[in-house]
């Protein structure tokens, strides 16, 4: 899997649901340089990195490169500290047309929902 977030996370496993959605299990790399600056002594996973992970996973699952067109209903609901909760579950409900891909994502750790968002990508 190609990623711009080199060594930031590892896709541990994923399952494809009957409805065409995916559930991915990822592991954040708590030792990544991003966490040294965001924030020193109190590492927090940047929201933009979470959005990039959703894009990269979607590209992997559908086998196409994508360009972010719109994002809506982005709700960061809990802080993701890579030392306390490095294992995340990402649910991606993916629907495709000829030129676009729509994704509804919910990211969680344990019973805690950390992120909800809806994004539209253009296929490139």
């Amino acid at each position: 899997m190609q990623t711009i977030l080199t060594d930031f996370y590892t896709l541990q496993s994923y399952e494809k649901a009957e409805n065409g959605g995916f559930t991915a299990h990822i592991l954040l790399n708590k030792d990544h340089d991003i966490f040294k600056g965001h924030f020193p002594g109190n590492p927090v996973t940047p929201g933009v990195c979470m959005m990039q992970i959703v894009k990269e996973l979607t590209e992997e699952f559908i086998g196409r490169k994508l360009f972010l067109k719109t994002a809506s209903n982005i709700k960061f609901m809990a802080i993701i500290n890579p030392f306390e909760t490095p294992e995340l579950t990402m649910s991606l409900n993916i629907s495709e047309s000829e030129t676009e891909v729509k994704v509804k994502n919910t990211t969680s750790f344990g019973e805690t929902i950390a992120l909800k968002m809806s994004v539209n990508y253009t296929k490139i």
Side-chain angles (χ1 to χ4, degrees), residues 8-98:
F8 186 74
Y9 70 98
T10 303
L11 175 60
Q12 294 184 302
S13 65
Y14 68 90
E15 302 88 38
K16 184 173 183 177
E18 289 182 22
N19 67 359
F22 290 85
T23 301
H25 304 279
I26 68 164
L27 179 66
L28 297 174
N29 175 5
K30 64 181 176 27
D31 297 318
H32 196 277
D33 285 343
I34 286 175
F35 295 117
K36 294 175 184 169
H38 198 269
F39 297 97
N42 187 26
V44 175
T45 305
V48 69
C49 291
M50 293 306 304
M51 292 178 69
Q52 181 65 26
I53 291 170
V54 170
K55 178 181 174 280
E56 290 176 1
L57 291 176
T58 303
E59 289 175 332
E60 177 75 9
F61 297 152
I62 69 166
R64 291 288 303 263
K65 286 297 207 182
L66 302 170
F67 181 80
L68 180 63
K69 182 178 177 183
T70 60
S72 61
N73 298 321
I74 301 172
K75 297 178 183 176
F76 296 101
M77 303 168 75
I79 291 174
I80 302 172
N81 180 319
F83 285 87
E84 295 173 4
T85 54
E87 296 180 19
L88 303 176
T89 301
M90 303 182 76
S91 172
L92 292 90
N93 184 345
I94 301 170
S95 58
E96 291 186 69
S97 71
E98 195 171 309

